[in-house]
Amino acid sequence: MESNSNEITRSQKETLTAPKSDHHRLIPPVDVFENKDEILLVADLPGVTKELLTIRLEDGDLLIQGSQEEPVEGVQWRSVEFVRSFRVPNSVDPSGISAELKQGILHLKLRKREEAKPKQIEIKAL
Amino acid sequence: MLTRWNELGFGDIDRSFAALSELRREMDRIFDTWDRDRVSGEAVKPVRMRWPRISLYDNGKELELRAELPGFTDKDLNVTIEQSSLSIRGERKGETPQGYSVHRQERGSLQFARSFTLPTLIDTEKVEATLKNGILLLKLPKAAEAQPRQIQVKSS
């Protein structure tokens, strides 16, 4: 990812991510990896279920927003919301994003456009 | 002699402390920047600073402890109870997937050990521990003598 990949446009995103009033907002720790085909983002989101997770890509801003599952009945837990956003490079194909949530960990794969993948240039000897 | 010690010895120490304070201020500044939520700009403590987050609740009959342990499996955790003392230990290895280069690694390897003195005695035979969606839930039934008891009031 570009060096400023995690910078986000504050005013734009503020409205999208306004926390529910009684929610406690946390920044989840994230790993970002890259190979020639894709960017892989791994985030710790304990207690977040598929239904309570939103992943949105808009104008190159990737937003991850997840709430924790409502806990055991009769017990009042403090609701927690995880929010994190990243600036995604143009090389990412918006239609090629896949997400997997397992054991409280999100694996997000951002596939690169064909034309953005590194190419080996063949050199012909004359 | 004492005076000299004061002037030289403590003077040096003071200077070292001054340097440390400077470093401390610098660290605070870095962490303060890091603590800003990138979305709203609010100061928010990153999860890691007080990790793992643990809550303990009392619903009358039992205590419930909930710990956020994403990616942990039953093999990575060790929970022991002795009398009213509870310990949780765990370790998760950080993994860099094969064939990828690293841009950012905030999750890494994690190792922790935490102990609590529970507010009541526990029926240790009936403790249940489950791991779901990265949350460890411990149900700790109170020992019979610690259960709430209704006292019948007799009028004479």
Side-chain angles (χ1 to χ4, degrees):
Chain A
M1 245 181 232
E2 291 152 5
S3 58
N4 63 343
S5 57
N6 63 325
E7 298 299 324
I8 78 116
T9 42
R10 187 179 297 174
S11 55
Q12 264 188 334
K13 283 292 158 262
E14 209 147 18
T15 46
L16 286 174
T17 64
K20 293 168 198 155
S21 57
D22 59 338
H23 276 48
H24 183 50
R25 179 183 276 185
L26 295 171
I27 305 172
V30 169
D31 289 348
V32 180
F33 306 106
E34 180 175 3
N35 69 10
K36 63 178 175 39
D37 298 318
E38 64 189 23
I39 290 166
L40 170 65
L41 201 145
V42 185
D44 282 346
L45 301 171
V48 175
T49 55
K50 202 178 107 191
E51 294 72 29
L52 297 169
L53 179 65
T54 311
I55 300 165
R56 200 196 314 230
L57 180 67
E58 206 177 300
D59 301 330
D61 287 322
L62 177 75
L63 176 74
I64 301 168
Q65 194 168 15
S67 313
Q68 284 187 343
E69 191 183 20
E70 279 308 310
V72 196
E73 69 180 282
V75 181
Q76 287 288 311
W77 310 95
R78 184 155 185 206
S79 296
V80 163
E81 189 183 41
F82 293 101
V83 181
R84 188 102 190 229
S85 61
F86 291 88
R87 185 85 196 148
V88 167
N90 289 331
S91 55
V92 165
D93 177 359
S95 63
I97 300 178
S98 62
E100 190 186 291
L101 190 61
K102 206 174 149 189
Q103 291 172 346
I105 296 184
L106 170 71
H107 281 80
L108 193 61
K109 288 183 175 177
L110 307 153
R111 208 173 58 213
K112 294 184 195 173
R113 290 176 207 276
E114 260 331 293
E115 62 268 26
K117 290 182 185 173
K119 282 190 188 72
Q120 185 76 34
I121 310 296
E122 208 175 315
I123 301 164
K124 284 177 189 159
L126 291 172
Chain B
M1 285 301 265
L2 273 174
T3 324
R4 245 181 88 198
W5 175 249
N6 254 327
E7 282 169 358
L8 296 175
F10 285 0
D12 281 346
I13 290 170
D14 281 347
R15 271 194 292 282
S16 334
F17 275 117
L20 276 177
S21 313
E22 191 52 47
L23 178 67
R24 177 66 195 271
R25 266 195 293 279
E26 185 64 17
M27 295 297 280
D28 283 349
R29 196 186 57 75
I30 292 165
F31 280 113
D32 187 53
T33 318
W34 191 44
D35 281 1
R36 299 276 153 195
D37 183 343
R38 288 179 176 79
V39 179
S40 63
E42 295 162 29
V44 176
K45 284 224 162 69
V47 181
R48 187 66 73 244
M49 303 297 280
R50 47 192 169 171
W51 194 91
R53 295 186 349 117
I54 291 180
S55 318
L56 179 69
Y57 292 86
D58 183 340
N59 70 12
K61 285 190 172 157
E62 56 185 17
L63 301 173
E64 284 185 359
L65 183 140
R66 188 175 120 126
E68 294 181 349
L69 297 166
F72 279 77
T73 64
D74 47 359
K75 290 181 193 68
D76 303 328
L77 290 168
N78 188 320
V79 182
T80 53
I81 302 178
E82 200 189 329
Q83 302 272 1
S84 60
S85 167
L86 171 74
S87 305
I88 306 175
R89 279 188 291 124
E91 191 177 356
R92 181 183 85 180
K93 295 262 190 290
E95 84 281 18
T96 302
Q98 281 266 289
Y100 287 84
S101 59
V102 180
H103 282 288
R104 175 189 292 265
Q105 204 149 25
E106 299 169 352
R107 297 171 57 251
S109 285
L110 299 168
Q111 202 179 356
F112 74 94
R114 291 185 71 174
S115 318
F116 307 86
T117 301
L118 299 171
T120 66
L121 280 175
I122 297 300
D123 186 347
T124 49
E125 296 298 312
K126 290 188 185 145
V127 171
E128 278 176 47
T130 51
L131 203 50
K132 195 183 158 198
N133 297 327
I135 304 258
L136 170 71
L137 181 68
L138 283 181
K139 294 196 170 202
L140 309 154
K142 293 182 186 175
E145 59 266 42
Q147 298 272 0
R149 204 166 293 167
Q150 186 76 37
I151 310 294
Q152 195 72 42
V153 181
K154 284 179 191 158
S155 53
S156 54

